[in-house]
Amino acid sequence: MDEFVSYSLDNEHQFWAELDEILSANCLSHQLIDNALRSYLHFTTNFKDDYLQSEYEVAQCSQKLLQSDLFRGNKEYVRIQIVYSLLQEDEPATLHIIASFLLFDGRDNEATFEMMNNEGCFTRLLELIKNGKRDGSRLHRLLLELLYEMSRMQRLSAEDLGQVDDAFITYLFQIIEELSDDVDDPYHYPVIRVLLVLNEQYMVASTTAPLSSDSTSSSMTNRVIKLLSLHGSSYMTFGENIILLLNRETETSLQLLILKLLYLLFTTRATHEYFYTNDLRVLLDVIIRNLLDLPNELVALRHTYLRVLYPLLAHTQLNYPPHYKRDEIVKVLSILGGSANAHWEPADETTVRLVERVAKVPWLREEDISEGEVARKLLGISLSPTLTASTISVVDVAAVMEKPGVQTPSRKSDVGTTSPDSEDGSLDVGTGLSEEMLGRRRHPPPIPPTLQVNGLVQKKIAS
């Protein structure tokens, strides 16, 4: 390290002033840019324990580089050099600075995550995460966030996804279980999101694989579902948490990630009864509430909720007496079919088909109503013969996507606070959280708060 200047600092003000000076260097060649980046990483690493003790301060450090003339004038070159540093660096303190920069830059610029994917960073992140928390819990959480963000922005290659083994998935499930009773634990949320996005990657790989016989995607095992099928009873906290997350999540892409996993769990025989019965009731309350609250234009999200609702009612413990909220479900289906409320626009063809499919669940029908009469007598809608046979498949669920960060609007914002069924007060779907569930699960997984640095709002990793 003799090539670097030796610094002696007395206070935090000197640290930030010196960092500004490093980043203000006039770099007219790639060699000078390299020198400035090496100085930046060396300086921040050297004083990390003294002046970068919180995640907020590490984020400030990243923002300094992002807002510097050094970066603004040479964005692509700086990005690729930082990516190469991630691939080669082993010093935990330096990796922390690198990962923070890539996370903040990638959230504002999707091309950064694409670059990371093209350069093989997925496998490198797996390797670093597998090292566990021996290099520090803050770095470990940051690496999980980085893996999640780059994986939800693009499709992973079969080769990369093939690097995920049973041991890695088991390790993630165990993190959730081991810390399930720690109210201050910050691991739940990033770990759960990694599992959700890996499940989506497996779904996409299985439904869009080439037809050639030598394709590795066509035979790839969804290890998230596999581990829950074999050892689900050991990982019940994960199931409780994803229901709690769906109950409060407002980002559409994350709702879809959760729904995709639920769909596979409810359509895979080995996981039909993975959840506790009381948790399934909570989930049903959440789905009913969200279906009623979705604005008319969110067609794809509504379809996905309906695609999950059918196997939830038909395949899980909710299929057994006493049947939970039968009358409320029937009324919701009638509303969604467009026949029961003036506040709703006529249902599209796919919604009508999916509503009719849910209505065919045996315990929702009266004894004297056959399947062919369900739509007409129960829902007040008519279907053509071509629509009575469902074409629902995992392909439909896997294909639904939304750009990260897009928030799901509420129907209440369009029609006021009065729900479409509130005139007679007959439909009460509750808050989505049962006494039984809240009593057993003392806290939901914490969500990292937002961080504002120099007027820019970013998500902050909990420290």
Side-chain angles (χ1 to χ4, degrees), residues 13 21-22 92 101 144 159 161 167 202 294 324 343 409 422 438 450:
H13 176 76
E21 184 174 339
I22 291 172
F101 171 83
L144 286 165
E159 291 75 20
L161 201 51
Y202 285 125
L294 288 177
Y324 183 67
H343 293 293
S422 60
L438 288 176
T450 57

Side-chain angles (χ1 to χ4, degrees), residues 25 53 181 210 215 230 281 300 310 315 360 371 389 408 430-432 443:
Q53 297 180 0
D181 292 327
S215 170
L230 295 175
R281 291 172 177 171
Y310 172 76
H315 298 160
K360 287 182 179 180
E371 286 192 5
T408 304
T431 63
H443 66 93

Side-chain angles (χ1 to χ4, degrees), residues 100-262:
S100 176
F101 171 83
L102 291 173
L103 184 63
F104 280 97
D105 184 40
R107 283 172 173 167
D108 287 334
N109 181 71
E110 296 180 10
T112 299
F113 293 137
E114 294 173 3
M115 179 186 293
M116 290 176 61
N117 188 31
N118 293 336
E119 297 297 332
C121 288
F122 180 82
T123 302
R124 173 61 170 161
L125 288 173
L126 287 181
E127 174 190 334
L128 293 171
I129 292 171
K130 285 178 182 178
N131 288 336
K133 291 173 276 185
R134 69 184 188 190
D135 293 331
S137 59
R138 288 168 54 200
L139 173 59
H140 196 244
R141 294 194 302 272
L142 196 60
L143 294 171
L144 286 165
E145 286 286 341
L146 191 56
L147 181 69
Y148 165 74
E149 293 287 359
M150 72 165 288
S151 298
R152 73 168 177 165
M153 299 299 299
Q154 60 208 309
R155 178 180 176 180
L156 299 174
S157 68
E159 291 75 20
D160 279 348
L161 201 51
Q163 298 300 311
V164 180
D165 55 17
D166 287 354
F168 182 75
I169 300 298
T170 299
Y171 171 61
L172 297 181
F173 280 131
Q174 288 175 343
I175 290 176
I176 299 170
E177 294 301 320
E178 291 170 0
L179 302 170
S180 62
D181 292 327
D182 182 359
V183 70
D184 296 317
D185 170 60
Y187 270 97
H188 290 288
Y189 195 60
V191 175
I192 289 171
R193 295 201 305 178
V194 168
L195 288 166
L196 290 173
V197 80
L198 288 176
N199 174 73
E200 181 185 55
Q201 289 287 345
Y202 285 125
M203 290 183 74
V204 172
S206 67
T207 58
T208 61
L211 298 178
S212 58
S213 59
D214 61 345
S215 170
T216 57
S217 298
S218 58
S219 59
M220 185 173 294
T221 299
N222 184 330
R223 298 188 184 278
V224 178
I225 299 300
K226 173 187 174 182
L227 268 294
L228 290 177
S229 297
L230 295 175
H231 309 292
S233 61
S234 299
Y235 307 129
M236 299 300 289
T237 302
F238 171 73
E240 297 167 19
N241 281 343
I242 61 175
I243 293 176
L244 287 165
L245 284 175
L246 184 64
N247 178 62
R248 69 184 185 185
E249 187 55 64
T250 59
E251 185 177 345
T252 303
S253 64
L254 275 170
Q255 290 184 55
L256 289 170
L257 285 179
I258 297 169
L259 291 171
K260 289 175 182 181
L261 178 64
L262 292 174

